[in-house]
Amino acid sequence: MFSRILIANRGEIALRIIRACRELGVQCVVVYSEADRHAHYLSLADEAICIGPADPAESYLNIPRIISAAEISNVEAIHPGYGFLAENAHFVEICRDCKINFIGPAPESMHLLGDKVQARKLAEKSKVAVVPGSDKAVANEDEAAQLAEKIGYPVIIKAAAGGGGRGMRIAHNEMSLRVAFHSAETEASSAFKNADLYLEKYLEQSRHVEVQVLADHTGNTLHLWERDCSLQRRHQKLVEETPSPGLSTEVRQELCKAAVRLAKAAGYINAGTFEFLLDKNNKFYFSEANTRIQVEHPITEMVTGIDLVQWQLRIAAGENLKLRQKDIRQQGSAIECRINAEDPANDFAPCSGCIDRFIPPGGFGVRLDSHVYPGYRISPHYDSLIGKLVVHKKTRAEAIACMKRALQEFEVGPVKTTIGLCREILTHRQFVKGKVDTGFIERTW
Amino acid sequence: MFSRILIANRGEIALRIIRACRELGVQCVVVYSEADRHAHYLSLADEAICIGPADPAESYLNIPRIISAAEISNVEAIHPGYGFLAENAHFVEICRDCKINFIGPAPESMHLLGDKVQARKLAEKSKVAVVPGSDKAVANEDEAAQLAEKIGYPVIIKAAAGGGGRGMRIAHNEMSLRVAFHSAETEASSAFKNADLYLEKYLEQSRHVEVQVLADHTGNTLHLWERDCSLQRRHQKLVEETPSPGLSTEVRQELCKAAVRLAKAAGYINAGTFEFLLDKNNKFYFSEANTRIQVEHPITEMVTGIDLVQWQLRIAAGENLKLRQKDIRQQGSAIECRINAEDPANDFAPCSGCIDRFIPPGGFGVRLDSHVYPGYRISPHYDSLIGKLVVHKKTRAEAIACMKRALQEFEVGPVKTTIGLCREILTHRQFVKGKVDTGFIERTW
Amino acid sequence: MELDKIKELVEMMKANDLSELEVVNGQTRIVLKRGPNQTAPQVIAMTPALTANGANPALRERLAAAGPESKDLPAEAAEDEKWARIVAPIVGTLYTAPSPNAEPFVETDSKVEEETVVCIIEAMKVMNEVKSGVRGTIKKILVENGSAVEYGQPLFLIEPD
Amino acid sequence: MELDKIKELVEMMKANDLSELEVVNGQTRIVLKRGPNQTAPQVIAMTPALTANGANPALRERLAAAGPESKDLPAEAAEDEKWARIVAPIVGTLYTAPSPNAEPFVETDSKVEEETVVCIIEAMKVMNEVKSGVRGTIKKILVENGSAVEYGQPLFLIEPD
């Protein structure tokens, strides 16, 4: 195991990695920007190094500053968390050049899976269905219109290098396609410095179901079952659960095996997620891979009892999985609600400012991952996630009851949050029946 | 199931019961004294009723006031929590007379098990070993001295009606016995209005191991495995864990079966605990029964996945256990640390006053049961427990690592707490090896 | 302390961005607090209400309103402050008259002695008489016949002689 | 207590940026608080140090001491306040001289121009020259040769001309 690592991230995921390090007895150094100078989690690390001003480009996204911090703090590895540099293959290559271990997959797998066009080819080779769509980047508007005509509307435009919903557009006819193509191109170009777009059929009333994978250097590639993340708003996940209420045992098995085939085909090592769309007829299509730990990883930890972040460190340090597939059981039901500092009444505008009141829920079945405490200041420079509320109970009905009471206990002020919306979702008849799809939130609220 | 119950307690256990009610969809009314008027948990109940001033005799221990509150709030049952009226058979009889369900065992079992002399007889009939000692209350000092001579020093004097360490004295010779007898008599008389004392051999270097039992009205009596509560200071438990590191599989099975025999012999219904001492030779002796939910119940919930407080309500409402013994598995390892507002540097004097800083730990494996939040005022009228920090992991080693990092994260101020002492205990070689006994804390700190 | 004087203090607080002001002068005590978002200062009567924002706003309101040291409305506060209160000594069901068809024990403007029974509280089938404890005039009846009252709940406002 | 007197106190608070004021005089007691978030009056450079009580006190001290807004000692603070600071523009290893055996770029009392190189910070094998940015006299060197510095860390105190 490493004796000392650097955490190149902030907020709740930095704290999550600090916790894993503490439990493994690994020293951790966390970098921070000036905006995070007073964040409490810094004091829980063994060292904290200021790397720049609030602007992510000058701090958390700045490769030279992070590598320099790793060098002066004498670490053996860097954990990138999620977001920022987590899926930047160039950063992984630089780590390799500097002889610093990157806690994640090799840059080759990242390149392969990070490019959506290449990932589709991989899926086809692995006999995993993909949504009908373009086999490569669409050259221009006219080509897009032609293809859309062929596969049928509605279609979705995605940035080849994208993630987290940015650069995505849905078009229901040629006119809206042409408009969407331009704005997606601009957004992709500025967000990812890569204007490549591709196009696929938009599956209406589909569920978003993803599979967690862990793989070691010997090729032992295991799945940790699925997560259902259908509850999204503008492609941003809001409520996640496992097991997925929309899967039969057979489809679940097929789906998880497909993810393992994909991971093996990509030579994948470490923790990763393979995302699928499940259509109305329970047919699933590979959508994309996330070559990093995901925000919603805790629900998988709860039902399997396996600490994913600890395993990320272990695998990166050369340890092999002692587990076999049949040891990984999906016990009980887990739900996560993302608590964002956003104002649902004001089109989910992010709220910044000081959190004066913060009374978290607790008790049996409740887990909270949050870097927030009374007096915490939300910086406008970063995302609005202030906590992940997770419950784990024997049955889905009990998990829903537990989440409802936990949301009820959770007090945050004066900033506005998604707590109230989550309560409404958990109470909604459709959610309780397990009959939701990716369009549910936008149709309903 | 009941539609509405009254919670006749305060602090963390009142909150615990509120949570169980919320998840079951049962309305709850909580009583409070003037000292608890501003406690946050009151706002989580459906109704809160002030029943008197801070002095427990005028509020939480006052039967007429609690019954009157139950009457005006139109409830079907009363949950007594632990402490206060929880083991008061007279209160249970009054509830029965007033046609209010008492969430706990029948007064007859309570009488039988609450009297230590009768409980010993029951154990002998059930073929469960008891510590050598008096078969009935010791009449006076001379009789005590005579008996002590017969069974051999050291001996322990206990109040027949006692609990929670009050009225207990250890004597190593006749002189100390005579002194101890008098002070124990005075204490028992004032604390329990019953001066009866009994005497038994004091088992040195023994472990305190107790068994959780659940029994329904049909006689289905199940154990939920054991808890090891050897880490005590002046007979007050401080750290508890399950499974007990001091038990072999055979002894564990025997012990748990003995508890079930005792529960059946007492006609016990609802949740209860049977306490045993385990001597150096792994021989166990029945010590006493607690006819209520216990402070340390969460560790049992973590390893079995069974919500004990919800089952208390269900059983009291006439529901039968759907479980069979073989369904109840002890999965992983759980530890609880009691966080008390006490100053270890000042002989554990309770601290009262305002808690300004309260940053609880979180993340994977951590459960916190606490009614405290920043701005909470600790009243000098009640016990000093401000929270129960519980962890649950696959192995004992992982649970210890998790507890250590959770204690490290936990910030409470300006009042002094037992957090630091718990950290020292969790780090101590003897604890890590699982080699502690009931005298460990007092010998070491 | 005249009302005008309080008004002036309030204006001064606003103008100077004061958050809190306390003046004690012999028997008189004035506490004024101004929140960051409030335009008008609140007169606070010593006891902070529950700050909770939890399950049941109705309960919170009830708790806030029913507390022995709280007020219904800030406007009434100053006036009510002058009067003494008779509070519930026990929890139970309150009756304002000795029997369903009888006259009430007291009404607004009733003169009472210290030993005058002002109401009955039933607890565990026992009727407990509540005495005024103060000699004076009943100015306000705060509870209805047959209602449940909790310990310490204000029942009557009385102007002592 | 006259209103005028309170007004005067308030003016004084404002003028001196006091956040709290309490006057007790026999029977009279006055408490005034100003500003929503201020708990203490602002004196010199307030360092919002980490309030944490967590894993590593050493780190906390280091963070508190190393922050660009912090001071070594309150006593020195007033004096140091007069001087400008040269802070680290990047994170890396600082060298006070161009090579191991060379003379340092600057010493205490060195005169520097805006363009004078005062040290080098190595980051990812690149030597980055740090220029004074201010014309003046170096009064204090806060870091040692070869030490690791973080972004914004004060390196030199300089008395501008």
Side-chain angles (χ1 to χ4, degrees):
Chain A
M1 180 46 67
F2 304 120
S3 62
R4 190 171 166 89
I5 71 157
L6 185 94
I7 299 167
N9 215 305
R10 63 172 300 284
E12 76 85 17
I13 193 64
L15 176 55
R16 174 70 189 87
I17 303 164
I18 291 171
R19 285 171 172 159
C21 288
R22 292 251 148 238
E23 293 186 29
L24 287 171
V26 172
Q27 288 187 19
C28 56
V29 180
V30 59
V31 301
Y32 65 92
S33 78
E34 283 187 319
D36 288 324
R37 178 177 298 282
H38 304 298
H40 178 252
Y41 67 84
L42 299 183
S43 69
L44 300 172
D46 294 276
E47 200 172 337
I49 296 178
C50 184
I51 52 165
D55 178 1
E58 298 288 308
S59 48
Y60 301 110
L61 279 171
N62 189 300
I63 297 177
R65 285 168 184 247
I66 284 169
I67 296 287
S68 183
E71 285 175 344
I72 66 165
S73 59
N74 204 23
V75 297
E76 295 159 76
I78 295 179
H79 196 308
Y82 54 67
F84 296 129
L85 296 171
E87 290 182 282
N88 183 322
H90 176 57
F91 175 62
V92 185
E93 282 157 2
I94 290 176
C95 287
R96 188 188 271 177
D97 292 344
C98 296
K99 301 198 178 6
I100 299 167
N101 284 285
F102 176 81
I103 299 171
E108 294 75 16
S109 320
M110 206 178 255
H111 267 306
L112 185 61
L113 294 168
D115 184 305
K116 292 186 180 45
V117 176
Q118 286 196 57
R120 282 174 68 92
K121 283 184 192 152
L122 188 80
E124 281 163 17
K125 265 192 274 178
S126 309
K127 301 199 196 318
V128 177
V130 291
V131 180
S134 53
D135 295 327
K136 54 180 172 50
V138 181
N140 53 47
E141 202 183 305
D142 289 332
E143 196 179 306
Q146 239 176 328
L147 183 61
E149 206 57 54
K150 203 179 105 194
I151 61 178
Y153 285 97
V155 295
I156 183 163
I157 301 165
K158 293 185 182 179
R166 279 184 302 176
M168 279 193 193
R169 296 288 186 282
I170 294 160
H172 287 83
N173 53 47
E174 189 177 331
M175 182 142 72
S176 68
L177 175 76
R178 288 177 185 274
V179 174
F181 193 87
H182 278 293
S183 65
E185 199 166 30
T186 312
E187 193 169 316
S189 161
S190 85
F192 313 111
K193 298 197 167 60
N194 177 353
D196 282 358
L197 297 180
Y198 74 113
L199 189 142
E200 58 185 39
K201 189 162 176 61
Y202 178 65
L203 299 175
E204 287 178 294
Q205 292 182 48
S206 64
R207 301 185 78 104
H208 172 121
V209 184
E210 61 190 29
V211 178
Q212 177 69 52
V213 162
L214 265 186
D216 66 20
H217 288 85
T218 67
N220 188 3
T221 306
L222 305 173
H223 71 79
L224 284 82
W225 305 100
E226 85 285 5
R227 293 186 287 262
D228 193 316
C229 312
S230 302
L231 286 157
Q232 308 185 347
R233 198 194 143 271
R234 297 200 182 161
H235 309 290
Q236 300 287 339
K237 297 164 189 168
L238 191 59
V239 177
E240 298 105 347
E241 65 176 305
T242 183
S244 166
L247 287 184
S248 66
T249 307
E250 295 72 42
V251 178
R252 172 175 294 114
Q253 287 284 358
E254 277 311 302
L255 184 75
C256 293
K257 281 182 192 164
V260 171
R261 281 205 304 281
L262 287 166
K264 284 188 170 174
Y268 200 85
I269 295 167
N270 217 303
T273 298
F274 293 83
E275 298 190 338
F276 298 85
L277 289 175
L278 185 78
D279 73 10
K280 284 178 276 192
N281 308 313
N282 286 313
K283 188 159 162 41
F284 60 84
Y285 303 89
F286 171 59
S287 154
E288 63 177 66
N290 291 141
T291 59
R292 49 161 168 89
I293 194 75
Q294 277 188 294
V295 178
E296 60 270 24
H297 76 276
I299 56 173
T300 297
E301 295 184 324
M302 299 313 276
V303 297
T304 62
I306 292 168
D307 191 310
L308 285 167
V309 179
Q310 286 191 18
W311 270 110
Q312 285 194 294
L313 266 75
R314 288 184 160 146
I315 290 171
E319 201 175 310
N320 293 328
L321 288 162
K322 288 162 206 85
L323 300 155
R324 283 159 308 174
Q325 189 62 58
K326 71 179 177 64
D327 300 329
I328 303 173
R329 294 174 55 203
Q330 196 175 27
Q331 290 193 300
S333 176
I335 306 175
E336 173 181 281
C337 286
R338 298 200 191 181
I339 313 304
N340 299 327
E342 292 170 359
D343 186 357
N346 184 19
D347 197 28
F348 294 85
C351 301
S352 58
C354 188
I355 294 183
D356 293 332
R357 210 165 66 243
F358 189 80
I359 304 185
F364 191 26
V366 173
R367 164 180 177 181
L368 182 67
D369 280 48
S370 172
H371 58 296
V372 170
Y373 48 91
Y376 178 81
R377 283 207 155 268
I378 303 169
S379 164
H381 293 91
Y382 312 117
D383 69 34
S384 57
L385 182 70
I386 57 170
K388 303 185 313 198
L389 178 58
V390 179
V391 300
H392 180 217
K393 285 270 166 166
K394 288 206 169 181
T395 66
R396 184 169 188 267
E398 287 170 302
I400 292 173
C402 184
M403 181 59 91
K404 277 161 69 179
R405 75 102 180 135
L407 287 166
Q408 206 159 35
E409 286 179 25
F410 205 164
E411 271 192 51
V412 182
V415 299
K416 299 280 186 295
T417 71
T418 48
I419 292 172
L421 175 62
C422 287
R423 281 176 67 177
E424 288 180 43
I425 291 169
L426 268 281
T427 314
H428 198 285
R429 206 166 38 88
Q430 290 294 102
F431 175 80
V432 173
K433 286 201 285 185
K435 300 263 181 235
V436 296
D437 60 70
T438 53
F440 172 70
I441 291 184
E442 279 163 55
R443 278 198 309 275
T444 315
W445 281 276
Chain B
M1 180 46 68
F2 304 121
S3 63
R4 191 172 165 91
I5 71 158
L6 184 95
I7 299 168
N9 214 305
R10 63 173 299 283
E12 76 86 15
I13 194 64
L15 176 56
R16 174 71 189 87
I17 302 163
I18 291 171
R19 285 171 172 160
C21 289
R22 290 252 150 237
E23 293 184 29
L24 287 171
V26 172
Q27 287 187 18
C28 57
V29 181
V30 59
V31 302
Y32 66 93
S33 78
E34 283 188 318
D36 289 324
R37 177 177 298 280
H38 304 296
H40 177 252
Y41 65 85
L42 298 184
S43 70
L44 300 173
D46 294 278
E47 199 173 338
I49 297 178
C50 185
I51 53 165
D55 178 4
E58 298 288 310
S59 47
Y60 301 111
L61 279 171
N62 190 298
I63 296 175
R65 286 169 183 247
I66 284 169
I67 296 287
S68 182
E71 285 175 343
I72 65 163
S73 58
N74 202 23
V75 298
E76 296 159 77
I78 295 179
H79 195 306
Y82 54 69
F84 295 127
L85 297 171
E87 292 182 280
N88 185 322
H90 175 58
F91 175 62
V92 185
E93 282 156 2
I94 290 176
C95 288
R96 190 188 272 177
D97 292 346
C98 295
K99 301 199 177 7
I100 299 168
N101 284 285
F102 176 81
I103 299 170
E108 294 76 16
S109 320
M110 209 180 254
H111 266 306
L112 184 61
L113 294 169
D115 185 303
K116 292 187 181 43
V117 176
Q118 287 197 59
R120 282 174 67 91
K121 284 184 190 151
L122 188 79
E124 282 162 19
K125 268 192 274 177
S126 310
K127 300 197 195 321
V128 177
V130 292
V131 180
S134 54
D135 295 328
K136 52 178 174 48
V138 181
N140 54 44
E141 199 183 309
D142 289 332
E143 196 180 303
Q146 243 177 323
L147 183 61
E149 207 58 55
K150 204 179 104 194
I151 62 176
Y153 286 97
V155 296
I156 184 163
I157 300 165
K158 294 184 181 179
R166 278 184 302 177
M168 280 194 192
R169 297 288 187 281
I170 293 159
H172 288 83
N173 54 47
E174 190 177 330
M175 182 142 74
S176 69
L177 176 75
R178 287 178 186 273
V179 174
F181 193 89
H182 278 293
S183 67
E185 201 165 30
T186 312
E187 193 168 316
S189 160
S190 85
F192 313 113
K193 298 196 167 57
N194 176 353
D196 283 357
L197 297 179
Y198 75 113
L199 189 144
E200 58 184 42
K201 188 160 174 65
Y202 178 65
L203 299 175
E204 291 178 293
Q205 294 181 45
S206 64
R207 302 185 77 105
H208 171 119
V209 185
E210 62 190 29
V211 178
Q212 177 68 52
V213 163
L214 266 186
D216 66 20
H217 288 86
T218 68
N220 187 4
T221 306
L222 306 172
H223 70 79
L224 285 81
W225 306 99
E226 85 285 4
R227 294 185 286 261
D228 192 317
C229 311
S230 301
L231 286 159
Q232 308 186 347
R233 198 193 143 272
R234 300 202 179 156
H235 309 290
Q236 300 287 341
K237 296 165 189 168
L238 191 60
V239 178
E240 299 104 345
E241 64 176 307
T242 183
S244 166
L247 287 183
S248 65
T249 307
E250 295 72 40
V251 177
R252 172 174 295 114
Q253 287 284 356
E254 278 310 304
L255 184 77
C256 292
K257 282 181 191 164
V260 170
R261 283 203 303 282
L262 286 166
K264 284 188 170 173
Y268 200 85
I269 294 168
N270 217 302
T273 298
F274 293 83
E275 299 190 337
F276 299 85
L277 288 174
L278 186 77
D279 73 9
K280 285 178 278 194
N281 308 314
N282 286 313
K283 190 161 159 40
F284 61 84
Y285 304 89
F286 171 58
S287 155
E288 64 178 64
N290 291 142
T291 59
R292 50 164 166 85
I293 194 75
Q294 278 190 292
V295 178
E296 60 271 23
H297 76 275
I299 56 173
T300 297
E301 295 183 324
M302 299 313 276
V303 297
T304 62
I306 293 167
D307 191 310
L308 284 166
V309 179
Q310 287 192 17
W311 271 109
Q312 285 193 293
L313 266 77
R314 287 183 161 149
I315 291 169
E319 201 174 311
N320 293 328
L321 289 163
K322 288 162 205 84
L323 301 155
R324 284 159 307 174
Q325 188 62 61
K326 69 178 176 67
D327 299 329
I328 303 174
R329 294 173 57 202
Q330 197 175 25
Q331 290 194 300
S333 175
I335 306 174
E336 173 181 280
C337 285
R338 296 198 192 182
I339 313 303
N340 299 326
E342 291 171 358
D343 186 359
N346 185 20
D347 198 28
F348 293 84
C351 302
S352 57
C354 187
I355 293 183
D356 293 332
R357 212 167 61 243
F358 190 79
I359 304 186
F364 190 27
V366 172
R367 165 180 175 179
L368 182 68
D369 280 47
S370 171
H371 57 297
V372 171
Y373 48 91
Y376 179 81
R377 286 207 152 268
I378 303 170
S379 164
H381 293 92
Y382 312 115
D383 70 32
S384 57
L385 182 69
I386 57 169
K388 305 186 311 200
L389 179 58
V390 178
V391 299
H392 180 218
K393 286 268 166 167
K394 288 207 167 180
T395 66
R396 185 169 189 268
E398 287 170 303
I400 292 173
C402 184
M403 181 59 92
K404 277 161 69 179
R405 74 102 181 139
L407 288 165
Q408 207 160 34
E409 286 178 26
F410 206 165
E411 273 195 49
V412 182
V415 300
K416 299 280 187 293
T417 71
T418 49
I419 292 172
L421 174 62
C422 287
R423 281 177 66 176
E424 287 181 43
I425 291 168
L426 269 281
T427 313
H428 198 284
R429 206 165 39 85
Q430 290 295 102
F431 175 79
V432 173
K433 286 201 285 186
K435 300 264 180 233
V436 297
D437 60 69
T438 54
F440 172 71
I441 290 184
E442 278 163 52
R443 279 197 311 275
T444 314
W445 279 277
Chain C
M1 191 79 196
E2 297 83 3
L3 212 58
D4 288 348
K5 228 169 178 178
I6 294 181
K7 269 189 198 155
E8 224 172 309
L9 286 173
V10 165
E11 280 311 313
M12 193 179 72
M13 282 181 83
K14 259 171 69 176
N16 296 286
D17 195 23
L18 297 189
S19 62
E20 204 169 324
L21 183 149
E22 180 173 352
V23 180
V24 182
N25 195 353
Q27 285 293 81
T28 311
R29 175 166 178 260
I30 300 163
V31 180
L32 298 166
K33 288 188 192 177
R34 255 183 92 237
N37 302 321
Q38 290 164 288
T39 44
Q42 282 182 293
V43 179
I44 304 241
M46 278 130 70
T47 306
L50 277 181
T51 54
N53 187 17
N56 48 350
L59 164 64
R60 264 180 290 118
E61 265 170 48
R62 212 178 67 75
L63 284 174
E69 297 158 296
S70 68
K71 289 286 154 287
D72 297 324
L73 287 166
E76 290 182 43
E79 178 140 296
D80 288 1
E81 195 66 6
K82 299 183 304 189
W83 296 326
R85 296 174 197 163
I86 304 172
V87 301
I90 53 168
V91 53
T93 306
L94 178 132
Y95 297 105
T96 50
S99 65
N101 300 319
E103 289 292 300
F105 292 108
V106 291
E107 292 178 289
T108 305
D109 295 327
S110 294
K111 301 274 181 198
V112 294
E113 299 293 316
E114 285 160 4
E115 292 298 307
T116 308
V117 172
V118 290
C119 64
I120 281 171
I121 297 178
E122 181 194 338
M124 284 185 81
K125 316 274 177 270
V126 177
M127 297 295 173
N128 303 277
E129 292 183 339
V130 178
K131 288 171 183 169
S132 165
V134 182
R135 184 181 161 156
T137 311
I138 297 292
K139 299 302 285 184
K140 211 169 191 174
I141 301 173
L142 305 169
V143 281
E144 275 175 36
N145 187 37
S147 61
V149 294
E150 60 182 356
Y151 174 83
Q153 184 172 335
L155 309 175
F156 302 91
L157 294 180
I158 181 167
E159 184 174 34
D161 284 355
Chain D
M1 187 74 199
E2 296 83 5
L3 215 56
D4 288 348
K5 223 169 176 178
I6 295 180
K7 269 187 196 158
E8 224 174 306
L9 288 172
V10 166
E11 280 311 315
M12 194 178 72
M13 281 180 83
K14 258 172 69 178
N16 296 285
D17 200 22
L18 299 186
S19 64
E20 202 168 329
L21 184 148
E22 180 170 353
V23 180
V24 182
N25 193 355
Q27 286 290 81
T28 311
R29 176 167 177 260
I30 299 163
V31 179
L32 298 166
K33 286 186 193 177
R34 247 186 102 239
N37 296 323
Q38 288 163 279
T39 49
Q42 280 185 291
V43 214
I44 20 171
M46 53 168 219
T47 302
L50 279 180
T51 54
N53 187 17
N56 48 350
L59 164 64
R60 263 179 290 119
E61 268 170 46
R62 210 178 69 72
L63 284 175
E69 301 160 290
S70 69
K71 289 285 155 291
D72 296 324
L73 287 165
E76 291 182 42
E79 178 140 293
D80 289 1
E81 195 66 2
K82 300 183 305 190
W83 297 325
R85 295 172 196 163
I86 302 171
V87 301
I90 52 169
V91 53
T93 307
L94 178 133
Y95 297 106
T96 52
S99 66
N101 300 317
E103 289 293 302
F105 292 107
V106 291
E107 292 177 289
T108 306
D109 294 328
S110 293
K111 301 277 181 195
V112 294
E113 299 294 317
E114 285 161 6
E115 291 298 308
T116 307
V117 173
V118 290
C119 65
I120 282 170
I121 297 178
E122 184 197 333
M124 285 186 77
K125 313 274 177 272
V126 177
M127 297 295 172
N128 303 277
E129 292 184 341
V130 179
K131 289 172 181 169
S132 165
V134 181
R135 185 178 162 158
T137 310
I138 298 293
K139 299 303 289 185
K140 212 169 191 174
I141 300 172
L142 304 169
V143 281
E144 275 175 37
N145 187 39
S147 60
V149 292
E150 61 182 355
Y151 174 83
Q153 184 173 336
L155 309 175
F156 303 92
L157 294 181
I158 180 167
E159 184 173 37
D161 283 353

